[in-house]
Amino acid sequence: MRDWAYLNRVVEGPSRPLQQLLAAGRDASEIAHGVRSRASWLGELAGQTAARATWDRAEEDLAAAAAVGARLITPECAEWPREEFDVAFGFAATGRSEHLRSYQDDAVPPHALWVRGGPLRPAVAQSVGVVGTRAATRYGLEATRQIATGLASHQWTVVSGGALGVDTVAHEAALGAGGLTVAVAACGIDRTYPARNAALFDRIAGQGVCVTEYPPGTPPQRHRFLTRNRLVAALTAGTVIVEAAWRSGALNTLSWAEGLGRVAMAVPGPITGAGSLGCHERIKEGRAQLVTGSDDIRALLGAAGALDVAEQYELAFAATPVQSLTRNELRVFDAIDPTGSVAQDIALGAGLPLPLTVHLLLELTKRGVVTREGTVWSRADRL
Amino acid sequence: MRDWAYLNRVVEGPSRPLQQLLAAGRDASEIAHGVRSRASWLGELAGQTAARATWDRAEEDLAAAAAVGARLITPECAEWPREEFDVAFGFAATGRSEHLRSYQDDAVPPHALWVRGGPLRPAVAQSVGVVGTRAATRYGLEATRQIATGLASHQWTVVSGGALGVDTVAHEAALGAGGLTVAVAACGIDRTYPARNAALFDRIAGQGVCVTEYPPGTPPQRHRFLTRNRLVAALTAGTVIVEAAWRSGALNTLSWAEGLGRVAMAVPGPITGAGSLGCHERIKEGRAQLVTGSDDIRALLGAAGALDVAEQYELAFAATPVQSLTRNELRVFDAIDPTGSVAQDIALGAGLPLPLTVHLLLELTKRGVVTREGTVWSRADRL
């Protein structure tokens, strides 16, 4: 574990050269020794470790993590989400998304993760990334609340960053519904960013997992948010952006979902503000599927037992008997005077032959939409 | 014209049998005579005219129309939108949309139209159907206003029904922006429905056109709204639904647009209410394209000079210099202490080799993102 901790600090993830050495069969101890001794076989890792090779703080880092109840996990641990990473980064290796043309070097798994809470793997086994802008509108927050609550109540884990706005509400709502969540940080496990979410992160660690790729003490910096985003996408079956304006960082997470072969989803919003511009553009470009709630999300992710949303609407917004009429039936029905009409007048009003009119009137009577008294036909009350 | 007026009343449009006789080369006078005399070659038109054949009110109908400043136009008139109908109903004849499986009999042009204002054909030459729910939310009305105003200010005609809610605001906004609109009614040209839109219809007739397929005095009835909807779709290059819940009649207009080969579009809205459910479902099903404004609509309809919306956003929401950095540039930039740092510390913080770090610092200095004083590098102020 010392070697992994050393490598975690000296090689800032993601590191493709380090992954290549691991894939070639060298273990952490061998690679750590190679980095310290500037071994000739390091290849590109030599450059990546040039600045920090002598920065050996493995003991201190492990102690700093332990002090906040955290631990280091590696590909050798049972809770390592190996399959998730294999699938996601395996897809990336064959994929050709525009995003990956810019970020190909980052499309590799982390070499180790610092976690608080857990275990990690079962927590993400059925999970969705829920992300969005920090500058959320009231609408964006309410939409986030609905979606996270719905996911949590169906035992889906919400995975997000720890930022204010959409991320924070996604965690809060899911936890409030009795679910568990995973927060992926862009700083050390012993840092609290943003500071006001300290209590939230404690709750997440209690019910779910706080996780980061970076060693203790690492400050949250812009470039780390970008690499952090790939982990949200890699750990989940799909990512949904709830509210994101034109240059929202949340769109970067969605691009990662796309590049890693995960399901990319976006929630629509009002066109009268700029808050959902990014969501709408992704839907227009065919790069994200429009979802209106957690049922849509679960259905897209192939959840067993997820109801078809259109079918639910059919039930929730039942058709009235009149809405179910065919057009000729409707012509006859419409031609009946509010106070009742004889068949000849109905035929004239409907512009249909009398025999057909009478046939349809009898049919409508059977269904209770029309009533008959002697020769007078009337519309049934209260339809 | 008397014969067309007679046929218009006796045969309630749309009538496929009547269209077939016209296509076979029989003219209006011949067909009118045939209907009156119950000619053997009437085919299915015999049944369609059985109830009303003796209802000859051609003079009265023409007079009633003239009394409100309206006239009857037919396929023989220069202002008849022949090409629009040929394209739309020609497409329908070969199309296989689910909607047309239910409404195949209605997928024919009107045989005559009553118009007030006009002429009709130039008014619809560059036009869009803008429709939506009567029970519009404040959001739906504002979205309608934005879209109709944008279309009108680019010389696009707004075509809609005359209902309260979205239809009414679409007309009002377009007229207010100096545009012209076309209102397609489901009742006689001499009827005002809804009554409170009387002044609006006068304004529409003054700047644009009020049009209906039905003879004077015809009451607005449900089945006529459904056939009216096909005219909104047929007359326009595309139809957009601005706000429509699950069973909104506006969805029927969109189905007609689809079935007639027109561009079907839908505006998204909040997922926290039911007002845009119908719009969202159509987008999800791939049956409507998501549009967020009149620029999107014009671009989809191939308007010359329509700007790409994404390009506009790129300009409107300009990237900051920092947002334009590559990830390695960002690593270097982020590693500079707020009070300035020497290159060695920056390399350590960024985890990059010193030579690469210095190279990137010089590059960032050229772009004005970083400044240098002696050996100390700083972030440029106010980025």
Side-chain angles (χ1 to χ4, degrees):
Chain A
M1 202 51 75
R2 259 203 98 273
D3 294 318
W4 284 110
Y6 167 76
L7 287 175
N8 182 259
R9 175 162 294 280
V10 172
V11 188
E12 177 157 342
S15 167
R16 185 175 290 280
L18 176 54
Q19 292 296 328
Q20 284 164 342
L21 292 175
L22 288 168
R26 296 191 190 263
D27 67 16
S29 145
E30 198 180 349
I31 299 172
H33 181 74
V35 169
R36 284 195 193 90
S37 60
R38 323 298 305 143
S40 60
W41 45 262
L42 285 179
E44 286 183 47
L45 193 62
Q48 285 195 356
T49 53
R52 297 181 181 170
T54 59
W55 200 2
D56 190 347
R57 294 184 29 169
E59 299 297 346
E60 293 91 328
D61 285 345
L62 290 166
V68 296
R71 64 192 180 281
L72 184 65
I73 68 169
T74 76
E76 291 156 5
C77 300
E79 67 174 299
W80 186 259
R82 174 183 306 283
E83 196 181 325
E84 284 77 2
F85 289 155
D86 282 355
V87 170
F89 297 108
F91 180 92
T94 64
R96 275 164 189 76
S97 80
E98 170 133 17
H99 176 73
L100 282 188
R101 274 197 285 277
S102 305
Y103 292 94
Q104 190 61 53
D105 279 348
D106 294 348
V108 292
H111 38 280
L113 291 168
W114 303 86
V115 301
R116 190 155 74 95
L120 179 59
R121 193 177 184 178
V124 297
Q126 180 170 276
S127 66
V128 183
V130 179
V131 298
T133 180
R134 282 168 298 173
T137 64
R138 179 190 295 232
Y139 164 70
L141 297 179
E142 181 53 32
T144 305
R145 198 169 286 123
Q146 286 189 7
I147 285 171
T149 301
L151 289 169
S153 62
H154 285 94
Q155 287 74 53
W156 282 75
T157 299
V158 167
V159 179
S160 191
L164 300 177
V166 168
D167 291 13
T168 292
V169 169
H171 287 296
E172 287 175 346
L175 292 169
L180 57 84
T181 77
V182 173
V184 188
C187 58
I189 198 79
D190 57 339
R191 306 266 311 226
T192 301
Y193 181 84
R196 78 164 86 156
N197 272 352
L200 176 62
F201 295 146
D202 286 344
R203 256 183 101 193
I204 294 172
Q207 281 180 255
V209 194
C210 290
V211 58
T212 181
E213 184 169 7
Y214 303 107
T218 305
Q221 292 179 338
R222 266 163 287 218
H223 70 91
R224 297 198 177 103
F225 287 102
L226 299 178
T227 43
R228 179 276 309 273
N229 292 343
R230 92 187 189 293
L231 292 186
V232 171
L235 289 171
T236 54
T239 290
V240 57
I241 47 168
V242 184
E243 190 176 40
W246 183 248
R247 292 195 186 278
S248 171
L251 295 170
N252 175 267
T253 311
L254 202 69
S255 297
W256 271 115
E258 200 185 353
L260 300 181
R262 303 311 201 183
V263 179
M265 299 166 279
V267 173
I271 63 157
T272 44
S276 299
L277 271 184
C279 301
H280 293 152
E281 278 302 303
R282 289 296 171 100
I283 296 167
K284 281 191 220 169
E285 293 169 350
R287 295 178 61 191
Q289 307 212 46
L290 185 153
V291 293
T292 56
S294 59
D295 289 335
D296 274 346
I297 295 169
R298 294 189 303 119
L300 282 174
L301 301 184
L307 289 171
D308 182 78
V309 173
E311 283 172 16
Q312 288 183 61
Y313 291 152
E314 279 296 332
L315 297 174
F317 303 96
T320 63
V322 173
Q323 283 172 330
S324 306
L325 301 185
T326 66
R327 201 167 86 78
N328 274 348
E329 289 168 351
L330 198 54
R331 285 173 76 156
V332 166
F333 181 82
D334 280 344
I336 302 171
D337 197 82
T339 57
S341 306
V342 298
Q344 285 82 353
D345 289 347
I346 298 172
L348 186 65
L352 294 174
L354 185 61
L356 176 59
T357 301
V358 171
H359 168 77
L360 293 171
L361 283 168
L362 288 169
E363 185 60 37
L364 295 176
T365 307
K366 261 189 240 166
R367 280 190 254 158
V369 180
V370 163
T371 60
R372 177 187 186 176
E373 206 161 327
T375 58
V376 176
W377 304 81
S378 304
R379 300 183 194 178
D381 287 342
R382 277 177 305 184
L383 283 174
Chain B
M1 203 51 75
R2 260 201 98 275
D3 293 318
W4 284 110
Y6 168 76
L7 288 176
N8 182 259
R9 175 162 296 280
V10 172
V11 188
E12 177 156 343
S15 167
R16 186 175 287 281
L18 175 54
Q19 292 296 329
Q20 284 164 342
L21 291 175
L22 289 167
R26 295 190 190 265
D27 67 16
S29 143
E30 197 179 350
I31 299 172
H33 182 75
V35 169
R36 284 196 193 89
S37 60
R38 322 299 305 143
S40 61
W41 46 262
L42 285 180
E44 286 184 45
L45 194 62
Q48 285 195 357
T49 53
R52 297 181 181 170
T54 59
W55 199 2
D56 190 347
R57 293 184 29 169
E59 298 297 346
E60 293 90 330
D61 285 345
L62 289 166
V68 296
R71 64 191 180 281
L72 184 65
I73 68 169
T74 76
E76 292 157 5
C77 299
E79 66 174 300
W80 186 258
R82 174 182 306 282
E83 197 181 325
E84 284 77 3
F85 289 156
D86 281 355
V87 170
F89 296 109
F91 180 93
T94 63
R96 277 164 187 76
S97 80
E98 171 133 15
H99 176 73
L100 282 187
R101 275 198 284 276
S102 305
Y103 291 95
Q104 190 61 54
D105 279 348
D106 293 348
V108 292
H111 39 280
L113 290 169
W114 303 85
V115 301
R116 189 154 75 95
L120 179 60
R121 193 178 184 178
V124 297
Q126 180 170 277
S127 65
V128 183
V130 179
V131 299
T133 180
R134 283 170 295 175
T137 64
R138 178 190 294 230
Y139 164 70
L141 296 178
E142 181 53 31
T144 305
R145 197 169 288 122
Q146 286 189 8
I147 284 171
T149 301
L151 289 170
S153 62
H154 285 93
Q155 288 74 55
W156 281 75
T157 299
V158 166
V159 179
S160 191
L164 300 178
V166 168
D167 292 12
T168 291
V169 169
H171 287 295
E172 286 175 346
L175 292 169
L180 57 85
T181 77
V182 173
V184 188
C187 58
I189 198 78
D190 58 339
R191 307 263 314 224
T192 300
Y193 181 83
R196 79 163 86 155
N197 272 352
L200 176 63
F201 294 146
D202 286 343
R203 255 184 102 193
I204 294 173
Q207 282 182 252
V209 194
C210 290
V211 57
T212 181
E213 185 169 6
Y214 303 106
T218 306
Q221 292 179 337
R222 266 162 288 219
H223 69 91
R224 295 197 178 105
F225 287 102
L226 298 179
T227 44
R228 181 275 310 271
N229 292 343
R230 93 188 189 292
L231 292 186
V232 172
L235 289 171
T236 54
T239 291
V240 57
I241 46 168
V242 184
E243 190 176 40
W246 184 247
R247 291 196 187 278
S248 171
L251 295 170
N252 176 265
T253 311
L254 202 69
S255 296
W256 271 115
E258 200 184 353
L260 299 181
R262 302 311 200 185
V263 180
M265 298 166 280
V267 174
I271 62 156
T272 45
S276 299
L277 271 184
C279 301
H280 294 151
E281 279 302 303
R282 289 295 170 100
I283 296 167
K284 281 190 221 170
E285 294 169 350
R287 295 178 60 191
Q289 306 212 47
L290 185 153
V291 292
T292 55
S294 59
D295 289 335
D296 274 347
I297 294 169
R298 293 190 303 119
L300 282 174
L301 301 184
L307 289 171
D308 182 78
V309 173
E311 284 172 15
Q312 288 183 60
Y313 291 152
E314 279 296 331
L315 297 174
F317 303 97
T320 63
V322 173
Q323 284 173 330
S324 305
L325 301 184
T326 66
R327 200 167 86 78
N328 274 348
E329 289 169 350
L330 198 54
R331 285 172 76 155
V332 166
F333 181 83
D334 280 343
I336 301 171
D337 197 83
T339 57
S341 306
V342 297
Q344 286 81 354
D345 288 348
I346 297 171
L348 185 66
L352 294 174
L354 185 61
L356 175 59
T357 302
V358 172
H359 168 78
L360 292 171
L361 284 168
L362 289 169
E363 184 62 37
L364 295 175
T365 307
K366 262 189 242 168
R367 280 190 254 158
V369 181
V370 163
T371 60
R372 176 190 187 177
E373 205 161 327
T375 58
V376 176
W377 305 81
S378 303
R379 300 183 193 177
D381 287 342
R382 277 177 304 185
L383 282 174

